[in-house]
Amino acid sequence: MTELNGQTNPADQVTRAELASIVDHTLLKTDATPDQVVALLDEAKALKAFSICVSPNMLPVQGEAGDVKIATVIGFPSGKHHSAIKAAEAARAVADGADELDMVIDIGMLKAGRADLVQADVAAVRVAAPRALLKVIIESAALTDDEIVAACEASEAAGADYVKTSTGFSAAGGASTHAVALMR
């Protein structure tokens, strides 16, 4: 919702249902249990959330997903996995029922000026899971503006469907409006 001169614009208001329909209801805690994932799925269905996102070892998700998509993370949370491992993790996740993959790039390679290796990393996951929705997490708070642009360009060139700001697990912090505007 936007404010102009202290007034909200009703045309910009988003309903709870509209917001829920685009949200990934997420449980990525290291101590998450299968019962908590079932509860997460039930909550997502009640809220009419777009998807749930869980760790790959929680797949396949128990229970009937209905209209709720199933997402998982690849190379999470550090991105410091070999591309072949990320590709295998992606292929296994899709075989286990994932509709969407949220992969983390190797931020160190990007910071070292190796956007080519980041692109190859994303491409390996894309090839391993060609039909899954592929979202690439770039950890924008840890990057300069030029690095954010390079990460987005490499992700797009490799066939990613979306680029995301952060894992929520980085000491550098999370998303900023500046990073989102730059990524857009």
Side-chain angles (χ1 to χ4, degrees), residues 114-137:
R114 297 303 310 266
D116 60 319
L117 294 180
V118 171
Q119 182 175 331
D121 194 37
V122 176
V125 172
R126 173 79 292 159
V127 166
R131 290 186 233 14
L133 188 72
L134 178 57
K135 299 177 280 182
V136 176
I137 304 170

Side-chain angles (χ1 to χ4, degrees), residues 31-100:
D31 61 350
T33 67
D35 287 343
Q36 289 173 321
V37 171
V38 170
L40 181 80
L41 179 58
D42 290 342
E43 288 173 0
K45 289 190 294 191
L47 292 168
K48 296 187 169 130
F50 182 76
S51 69
I52 63 168
C53 185
V54 297
S55 297
N57 71 326
M58 294 296 186
L59 299 174
V61 171
Q62 302 304 306
E64 179 55 44
D67 292 335
V68 176
K69 299 290 184 193
I70 305 299
T72 195
V73 289
I74 304 299
F76 190 84
S78 70
K80 291 292 198 187
H81 303 70
H82 289 285
S83 294
I85 299 300
K86 288 181 184 178
E89 188 174 37
R92 171 72 187 263
V94 170
D96 286 346
D99 303 298
E100 300 183 13

Side-chain angles (χ1 to χ4, degrees), residues 28 75-79 104-105 107-108 111 137-143 164-175:
L28 296 171
F76 190 84
S78 70
V104 183
I105 65 165
I107 298 153
K111 293 192 98 31
I137 304 170
I138 66 169
E139 217 64 90
S140 61
L143 303 176
K164 296 176 74 170
T165 57
S166 63
T167 61
F169 284 74
S170 174

